[in-house]
Amino acid sequence: VQLVESGGGLVQAGGSLRLSCAASGFASDVYAIGWFRQAPGKEREGVACISSTDDSTLYRSSVEGRFTIFRDFAGNTVDLQMNSLKPEDTAIYFCAVVEGLPNWNSLDPSLYDYWGLGTQVTVSS
């Protein structure tokens, strides 16, 4: 499985960004994709995830209502729409995949098998 993130950048607080995760090489149609982030000096944390089988989603409490994860079938990507961004959202954002688990969601990064290289998101105050 190959994952490539895009869409990061610099934005002012209150602004929006849309991240995309282009994924390929799946062994089947059963998988979950998560978005994670890691700020300097902090552990990697889960932000949002989506299941391919039922489109169920799970969000970190601090982003719920501001971020939306969804599958963009036209672009064959899994995107993260981020609104009302805050300086504390500044981090490198990664997408990751775990295969073979239907109707499954988790924000635990240790459970994911494949990772992209990440894209930087910087929110200025």
Side-chain angles (χ1 to χ4, degrees), residues 31-50:
Y31 56 86
I33 289 185
W35 278 98
F36 299 82
R37 66 187 181 188
Q38 188 165 18
K42 295 189 176 181
E43 292 188 354
R44 191 169 297 188
E45 62 185 23
V47 175
C49 57
I50 187 167

Side-chain angles (χ1 to χ4, degrees), residues 4-73:
V4 179
E5 303 94 338
S6 62
L10 173 63
V11 64
Q12 288 188 330
S16 298
L17 281 175
R18 177 171 167 172
L19 306 182
S20 289
C21 174
S24 60
F26 293 111
S28 75
D29 292 333
V30 179
Y31 56 86
I33 289 185
W35 278 98
F36 299 82
R37 66 187 181 188
Q38 188 165 18
K42 295 189 176 181
E43 292 188 354
R44 191 169 297 188
E45 62 185 23
V47 175
C49 57
I50 187 167
S51 168
S52 70
T53 51
D54 63 357
D55 281 334
S56 58
T57 58
L58 181 64
Y59 293 93
R60 182 175 197 82
S61 59
S62 62
V63 307
E64 197 146 18
R66 300 190 295 123
F67 292 10
T68 303
I69 187 171
F70 60 98
R71 293 199 288 165
D72 183 332
F73 293 100

